[in-house]
Amino acid sequence: MLTEQNYWRCISNFNFQCCGNLSPEQHYPSMTRFPRGSSPEDVLSSPQGKAVFSVTGMTCAACAGSVEKAVKRLPGIRDAVVDVLNGKALVRYFPSMVTEERIREAIEDAGFEAKSIDEESIKEKPFQICRIHIKGMTCTSCSSTVESLLQAIPGVQKSQVALATEEAQVHYDPKIVTYNHLKEAIEEAGFEAILKSTGEHISKIELKIEGLKIDQSLREIHKSLQSLPGVENIDINQEMKKVSISYKPYMTGPRTFIEVIESSSGSGCFRAMIFPDGGERRETLRQEEIKRHFKLFIWSLSFSIPVFLASMVLMHIPGISHVLDMKVVNNLTIGLIVRWEFSTPVQFYIGRRFYIGAYKSLRNGSANMDVLIALGTNTAYFYSVYVAVRAALSRDFMGSDFFETSSMLISFILLGKYLEVLAKGKTSQAIAKLMELTPDTAILLSLNEEGNNVTSEQQIDSRLIQKDDVIKIVPGAKVAADGFVIWGQSYINESMITGEARPVAKRKGDMVIGGTVNGNGVLHVKVTRVGSESALSQIVRLVESAQMAKAPVQKLADRISKYFVPMVIMLSLATWVSWFIAGQLHAYPESWIPSSMNSFELALQFGISVMVIACPCALGLATPTAVMVGTGVGATQGVLIKGGQALEKAHKVNCIVFDKTGTLTVGKPIVVTTKLFKKITLPDFYKFVVAIEVNSEHPIAKAIVEHAEKAAEGDEKNPTWPEARDFVSISGHGVKAIVQDKEIIVGNKKLMQEHNIVIPVDAEETLAEAERLAQTGILVSIDREIAGVLAISDALKPSAKEVISILNSMKIKSVLATGDNWGTANSIARQVGIETVIAEAQPEVKADKVKELQTSGYTVTMVGDGINDSPALVAADVGMAIGAGTDIAIEAADIVLMKSNLEDIIIAIDLAKKTFSRIRLNYIWALGYNLLVIPIAAGILYPSTEFRLPPWIAGAAMAASSVSVVCSSLLLKNYRRPQKLNNLGLNGIKIE
């Protein structure tokens, strides 16, 4: 089996054996180099590190290539990905060979500023973590036994069992083992297992501490915090008076940290508060960057306008032109001196960033936008200096300067960068809006010991909320954290999270999501998930991760950008030389040469125009801006798309494989028919059935109990049921017990036959009819005589049939793959209009079918919600997980449908198509612009029209191309769901 480690080992061995087949294009090592005295196996088996850096100063794809190259040159680098749009670099490395600090220095040596940042959203999770509540343990021997059993299961990395809390925390590989396997192992050991949570949820909070004076205080605070249960890591920055704490939010929380810090000093000299959050700091940094670019542009413009006026406008105004033409020394005029003086600060002070960037880029063996700008402006400036010096030294020399070209060119480029930064900030507004959903404050309630009366309430910062807190949600307020209602009733508008516009009724026991808006009722909510565990945090992490992921099509732009700058420089030189030689050979009439120039200056102007107008900045922005906006729009529509690769594949989908339960169906069984075959009243019948089924955890049993309770609500508010004795659950068949001295058996046909119970013909016909209608027939026997049949149905989702019909109209093939029997599967398929059916399919069979369809030429999407769908979700070109499904299914999927609505499949595909169309349009803007304008800048129209593009206008056009690409991507924010979905309703209600 070729594991990831084996793959890298093979690559490394391939490099070391010097086979002679290495790509000639690779001028720097992109694979891991190993230190002398260590083997590849030793290093590759050692722990790996990951670092995320904030990189400032990158302007285009060539810059990103420079950073990537500089990092990959270091020994011990596993992989490096650079995101020029967000200014981030993700580096995987071997700590035994290279340090995070060394990587940062390499980036700075390449000419950029780098700062290490925390990036929880992109942490890989090779192992899932689940917490299991274990009943029945009485001593340490019990806990040790369970721990050893779990540790011995293949796929389990680590298990910890705590007797005091009766909990097990298990790190396991979901591709090898599932929670059901863990549960079975615990139950086989004689204990009861109940899943509490899955997924590793580690939150981080930063606190500001006032009163810190000596190192002893720091040690006391560190020791006090470290002793708290659930605290994973503590980092104290004395200079900033800041402490960063990583913790498990289900065990402790920030209010506890503040109390511990403030009590660490007996005199109470310490005071702790929440440090300004990362979102605020990120926005502050973005605003500072915008201000910096605007300030540079204004300063550049203030110096460039006098140069432009002196060379283009004032020369034609009588009186002023006479002053400007006054000679100071020989032919050196006042106007020339003015232009020289005003253009110099622009060239060397305001424009020094281009020198620095160009130098560092060339030093690392690459060329970026700064190289083109530095070459173009320096050529114009120093030629103008040459003209000024010659004029001062000669009475006969007549020449034209290009001071306005260099200064105006820098001004327009700075304007373009300012507009670009301004526009790029808007592409990530989706995350900002999501993070703003959580309210700033919350009302914390204190309850009495019995927990039934409120003793006090106080307003606190919402970031101080901890698990198991009780908070009050007043009418019109936002819900501050995930939890369930313990008192009150109201309607909650969940559209900000799910995209569903219809308010959802909430009463005692119902779950609420942080960030949603309460209606007109007061609710008391017990908090269940905070910090990284919350639904909103998980959504934000998915969106952030998606926006950093590169689309495969972006690789084309990266390759083009790599060779584009050298090609532009060569083209510029060729343009200049061609026009100059043509002028020297009198290949064109002298009338073509403007009166203020000679042939050399005309050729030089053409060459500079080509150099500055062909910058590949727009090309590097074409894909990431569209992906950022597209994934952000998807999040607001309730569709979480995990990056550019998922978008690129989704737009090609022509076959969708559907799971049945929880995907095409609601996933919640309900009783649809009750037929009696014995003289007994319906209430008495249900009295016996519920008395036995209330002891079972099976979904069908719960459906029967819920149906009976609803039916009984009209007679009595809280119905009571008889006690069942000698309860026995027969796995896969049913249950039996003694109720009021009667033997009650509830189950399937096979269970009745095993107990020699005769099934009447009418009952047989009812069972057959139920199967024909895709229902599950449940027989009920009272004292070994069939008393009735219950028909249980997992209803189709209201929109299932319409969605399949729309997919058919889109020429997308639909396939049903389910583990249910053929009768139920065929019936469901007929109802929704699916022709291809795969029934009684195990997880590996679903995955094999996906691969078979791919082999047949289909681009396949798998839509599922369960653990058993994970292999198929991974095997498919695009995996779509229903938002209400399991954590493992969501983790395996490329797209998550948060609302669990089938019509979102169409939205996801449609959004992917529109985003990819926008990417194509951006490439047309970028490449088409260059292909069209470069010949014009080179003077192709000059012979026929005498139209030429001055270099400073070429610079403005170059800046405009980048802004136009970003604005083109921003138009995706106007995305509207397909018109064909507007009349598609859920539960008979039209969705607007």
Side-chain angles (χ1 to χ4, degrees):
M1 179 178 180
L2 184 61
T3 63
E4 184 185 13
Q5 186 175 358
N6 289 337
Y7 167 79
W8 285 100
R9 184 176 291 121
C10 291
I11 293 294
S12 303
N13 290 340
F14 175 80
N15 286 342
F16 274 104
Q17 289 164 8
C18 301
C19 299
N21 294 324
L22 296 177
S23 170
E25 298 175 358
Q26 195 79 326
H27 298 295
Y28 62 95
S30 61
M31 298 301 173
T32 306
R33 304 203 310 266
F34 304 99
R36 188 174 299 173
S38 64
S39 67
E41 288 78 6
D42 292 337
V43 175
L44 287 169
S45 61
S46 65
Q48 298 176 30
K50 184 192 297 183
V52 181
F53 297 91
S54 172
V55 184
T56 56
M58 294 191 297
T59 55
C60 61
C63 296
S66 299
V67 173
E68 191 170 322
K69 183 186 293 186
V71 172
K72 285 186 174 179
R73 277 177 168 160
L74 297 174
I77 299 298
R78 177 74 174 271
D79 189 22
V81 179
V82 181
D83 176 11
V84 65
L85 190 65
N86 288 307
K88 291 182 182 178
L90 167 64
V91 184
R92 295 181 178 89
Y93 63 99
F94 293 99
S96 60
M97 299 175 63
V98 66
T99 64
E100 191 172 313
E101 179 64 20
R102 181 67 189 91
I103 297 170
R104 186 188 64 78
E105 290 173 357
I107 296 174
E108 292 190 340
D109 287 342
F112 307 92
E113 293 181 15
K115 181 180 179 182
S116 179
I117 60 175
D118 293 320
E119 189 66 21
E120 294 292 333
S121 61
I122 56 173
K123 282 190 176 180
E124 291 182 340
K125 296 181 181 177
F127 284 88
Q128 188 79 19
I129 296 180
C130 73
R131 292 188 300 126
I132 305 171
H133 181 59
I134 304 175
K135 290 184 179 180
M137 295 190 299
T138 57
C139 62
T140 53
S141 176
C142 297
S143 59
S144 299
T145 300
V146 174
E147 191 170 292
S148 300
L149 283 172
L150 291 172
Q151 193 70 53
I153 298 174
V156 173
Q157 183 193 36
K158 183 174 68 173
S159 66
Q160 293 175 312
V161 179
L163 177 64
T165 57
E166 295 186 330
E167 275 189 18
Q169 182 171 285
V170 186
H171 297 237
Y172 64 99
D173 187 343
K175 296 177 182 178
I176 301 175
V177 65
T178 67
Y179 160 70
N180 288 329
H181 294 130
L182 304 176
K183 183 174 181 289
E184 288 170 6
I186 295 171
E187 291 179 345
E188 285 176 4
F191 305 97
E192 184 180 352
I194 303 170
L195 180 66
K196 292 196 69 175
S197 70
T198 59
E200 181 177 15
H201 298 298
I202 303 296
S203 292
K204 183 175 182 178
I205 192 165
E206 295 178 341
L207 301 176
K208 184 177 181 180
I209 306 175
E210 293 182 354
L212 281 178
K213 294 180 180 178
I214 56 175
D215 291 342
Q216 181 65 30
S217 301
L218 291 175
R219 287 193 289 272
E220 289 176 4
I221 291 173
H222 189 283
K223 185 177 179 181
S224 300
L225 291 172
Q226 193 68 59
S227 64
L228 292 174
V231 172
E232 293 288 297
N233 186 53
I234 301 170
D235 182 25
I236 298 179
N237 186 323
Q238 188 173 8
E239 292 182 4
M240 298 180 67
K241 298 180 180 179
K242 179 180 71 173
V243 56
S244 301
I245 308 168
S246 298
Y247 63 98
K248 298 175 181 177
Y250 54 85
M251 296 181 68
T252 187
R255 288 206 313 280
T256 304
F257 303 149
I258 290 174
E259 290 173 5
V260 168
I261 291 172
E262 293 182 347
S263 64
S264 294
S265 171
S267 59
C269 60
F270 295 154
R271 186 167 177 266
M273 64 193 73
I274 291 182
F275 209 79
D277 64 26
E280 293 175 359
R281 290 202 300 273
R282 281 194 296 270
E283 180 60 22
T284 301
L285 289 173
R286 195 179 77 83
Q287 291 300 328
E288 287 177 358
E289 185 181 13
I290 291 173
K291 288 179 182 178
R292 186 171 66 253
H293 280 89
F294 181 72
K295 186 177 179 180
L296 281 172
F297 167 66
I298 292 299
W299 274 107
S300 180
L301 197 63
S302 63
F303 281 96
S304 299
I305 287 178
V307 179
F308 176 79
L309 293 175
S311 59
M312 299 291 184
V313 179
L314 300 180
M315 299 298 293
H316 304 289
I317 300 177
I320 298 178
S321 62
H322 176 71
V323 174
L324 294 176
D325 287 338
M326 289 178 60
K327 296 178 181 179
V328 179
V329 179
N330 293 329
N331 278 338
L332 180 64
T333 63
I334 291 177
L336 187 55
I337 293 173
V338 168
R339 293 192 292 272
W340 189 359
E341 287 181 344
F342 275 92
S343 63
T344 300
V346 178
Q347 183 69 37
F348 297 106
Y349 182 73
I350 298 172
R352 70 184 185 279
R353 51 169 291 183
F354 302 117
Y355 286 96
I356 296 170
Y359 166 71
K360 292 183 176 180
S361 174
L362 293 171
R363 190 181 64 182
N364 286 281
S366 61
N368 61 6
M369 180 193 78
D370 292 332
V371 174
L372 293 180
I373 295 171
L375 280 173
T377 57
N378 274 287
T379 303
Y381 178 83
F382 283 108
Y383 176 75
S384 300
V385 171
Y386 164 77
V387 169
V389 172
R390 282 289 306 274
L393 297 176
S394 172
R395 297 177 180 272
D396 303 321
F397 177 78
M398 296 292 293
S400 299
D401 64 277
F402 291 126
F403 284 123
E404 85 284 348
T405 294
S406 64
S407 59
M408 291 301 292
L409 180 56
I410 289 174
S411 294
F412 276 109
I413 289 169
L414 291 175
L415 173 62
K417 296 307 296 180
Y418 166 69
L419 295 175
E420 187 180 309
V421 170
L422 204 63
K424 281 197 297 185
K426 296 180 180 179
T427 62
S428 57
Q429 282 182 348
I431 290 179
K433 288 181 179 179
L434 284 171
M435 297 181 75
E436 288 171 2
L437 291 180
T438 304
D440 295 329
T441 60
I443 301 174
L444 178 67
L445 301 180
S446 298
L447 306 180
N448 58 9
E449 292 182 0
E450 291 75 22
N452 51 14
N453 286 320
V454 177
T455 57
S456 66
E457 60 180 59
Q458 61 174 318
Q459 186 167 294
I460 63 171
D461 190 308
S462 61
R463 290 169 292 179
L464 294 176
I465 296 174
Q466 299 184 182
K467 187 177 182 293
D468 295 330
D469 281 346
V470 177
I471 56 176
K472 179 181 179 180
I473 315 297
V474 298
K478 291 180 179 179
V479 179
D482 296 0
F484 63 90
V485 178
I486 61 172
W487 181 86
Q489 58 184 20
S490 183
Y491 283 86
I492 296 286
N493 183 347
E494 298 183 342
S495 61
M496 290 179 291
I497 299 290
T498 66
E500 178 62 64
R502 192 169 70 248
V504 181
K506 300 292 182 181
R507 57 182 180 178
K508 185 176 180 179
D510 290 336
M511 298 298 297
V512 293
I513 305 171
T516 55
V517 178
N518 186 24
N520 55 2
V522 177
L523 298 175
H524 291 180
V525 174
K526 185 168 186 177
V527 176
T528 57
R529 296 190 300 181
V530 294
S532 60
E533 287 186 310
S534 69
L536 191 59
S537 294
Q538 293 178 40
I539 292 168
V540 169
R541 283 202 303 272
L542 279 173
V543 176
E544 286 180 335
S545 178
Q547 292 183 342
M548 190 169 181
K550 281 188 179 181
V553 70
Q554 190 174 340
K555 295 177 182 177
L556 172 63
D558 293 344
R559 284 197 297 270
I560 293 174
S561 297
K562 182 179 179 181
Y563 302 105
F564 203 80
V565 173
M567 187 177 70
V568 167
I569 294 173
M570 292 174 61
L571 189 61
S572 173
L573 289 172
T575 301
W576 173 67
V577 170
S578 298
W579 276 98
F580 177 67
I581 292 175
Q584 293 298 307
L585 297 177
H586 304 289
Y588 57 81
E590 289 189 9
S591 60
W592 286 10
I593 304 174
S595 58
S596 60
M597 294 185 183
N598 56 37
S599 60
F600 174 83
E601 292 165 348
L602 180 66
L604 182 64
Q605 198 172 73
F606 282 129
I608 295 174
S609 294
V610 170
M611 186 174 295
V612 298
I613 206 167
C615 182
C617 290
L619 193 64
L621 294 171
T623 299
T625 53
V627 169
M628 283 191 74
V629 179
T631 52
V633 168
T636 62
Q637 293 281 337
V639 178
L640 293 184
I641 304 170
K642 298 182 182 179
Q645 186 165 353
L647 273 171
E648 185 167 341
K649 288 183 178 179
H651 93 281
K652 302 176 183 177
V653 166
N654 54 11
C655 178
I656 298 181
V657 179
F658 290 92
D659 176 45
K660 182 183 76 67
T661 305
T663 302
L664 288 176
T665 65
V666 175
K668 184 178 181 181
I670 57 173
V671 178
V672 292
T673 306
T674 305
K675 192 166 185 179
L676 304 179
F677 300 101
K678 188 177 179 180
K679 290 183 179 180
I680 184 174
T681 64
L682 194 61
D684 286 341
F685 173 78
Y686 269 111
K687 177 178 67 177
F688 289 115
V689 175
V690 175
I692 183 172
E693 290 287 19
V694 78
N695 296 288
S696 174
E697 291 294 321
H698 196 281
I700 288 180
K702 291 182 178 180
I704 294 171
V705 173
E706 185 177 343
H707 179 77
E709 288 177 344
K710 286 183 179 178
E713 279 182 359
D715 300 325
E716 50 183 311
K717 191 171 183 180
N718 295 307
T720 57
W721 313 106
E723 183 180 352
R725 296 182 290 107
D726 303 328
F727 174 82
V728 179
S729 175
I730 301 97
S731 180
H733 297 294
V735 292
K736 65 178 183 178
I738 303 298
V739 180
Q740 293 183 347
D741 297 327
K742 294 181 182 293
E743 183 186 33
I744 310 298
I745 302 177
V746 182
N748 58 19
K749 184 177 178 180
K750 188 173 182 180
L751 180 62
M752 300 302 164
Q753 290 172 343
E754 288 177 354
H755 286 76
N756 298 318
I757 297 173
V758 178
I759 303 174
V761 175
D762 290 349
E764 290 274 13
E765 291 175 353
T766 303
L767 290 174
E769 177 67 12
E771 185 173 325
R772 188 182 69 80
L773 296 174
Q775 298 169 355
T776 301
I778 302 296
L779 292 162
V780 179
S781 163
I782 300 177
D783 285 338
R784 295 187 173 268
E785 183 179 353
I786 298 297
V789 174
L790 300 171
I792 312 293
S793 174
D794 185 3
L796 277 173
K797 288 184 176 176
S799 59
K801 185 175 180 180
E802 290 86 349
V803 167
I804 299 300
S805 175
I806 293 172
L807 290 173
N808 289 337
S809 69
M810 295 169 66
K811 303 285 190 271
I812 296 177
K813 177 184 177 69
S814 297
V815 177
L816 174 62
T818 177
D820 282 352
N821 62 72
W822 281 97
T824 301
N826 284 322
S827 177
I828 291 291
R830 281 195 303 271
Q831 291 180 53
V832 298
I834 293 178
E835 296 181 358
T836 306
V837 180
I838 306 160
E840 300 177 2
Q842 297 298 314
E844 60 273 13
V845 175
K846 291 183 181 181
D848 290 341
K849 181 60 181 178
V850 167
K851 293 173 184 176
E852 184 182 317
L853 289 165
Q854 290 169 328
T855 305
S856 302
Y858 287 103
T859 301
V860 182
T861 284
M862 173 69 197
V863 185
D865 72 325
I867 292 174
N868 62 330
D869 297 320
S870 299
L873 288 169
V874 173
D877 295 287
V878 180
M880 291 190 189
I882 296 296
T886 65
D887 289 345
I888 293 176
I890 292 172
E891 187 72 24
D894 301 298
I895 297 175
V896 180
L897 310 178
M898 293 167 57
K899 294 181 288 183
S900 300
N901 292 340
L902 287 176
E903 60 264 34
D904 288 346
I905 296 171
I906 297 168
I907 292 176
I909 294 173
D910 183 66
L911 178 59
K913 289 179 182 292
K914 284 186 168 56
T915 303
F916 209 75
S917 296
R918 186 62 55 178
I919 291 173
R920 288 197 187 101
L921 181 61
N922 287 349
Y923 276 121
I924 292 173
W925 272 111
L927 288 173
Y929 160 86
N930 279 314
L931 292 174
L932 177 66
V933 181
I934 286 177
I936 296 175
I940 195 172
L941 298 179
Y942 193 71
S944 58
T945 65
E946 293 192 11
F947 174 79
R948 58 190 172 88
L949 209 60
W952 59 274
I953 293 180
M958 182 272 289
S961 71
S962 297
V963 176
S964 65
V965 164
V966 178
C967 291
S968 170
S969 295
L970 285 173
L971 289 175
L972 273 172
K973 295 177 76 172
N974 298 323
Y975 172 82
R976 295 291 180 270
R977 50 190 273 147
Q979 186 66 33
K980 62 186 75 174
L981 291 180
N982 287 343
N983 296 321
L984 184 64
L986 285 176
N987 300 323
I989 298 175
K990 181 179 178 181
I991 298 176
E992 297 296 343

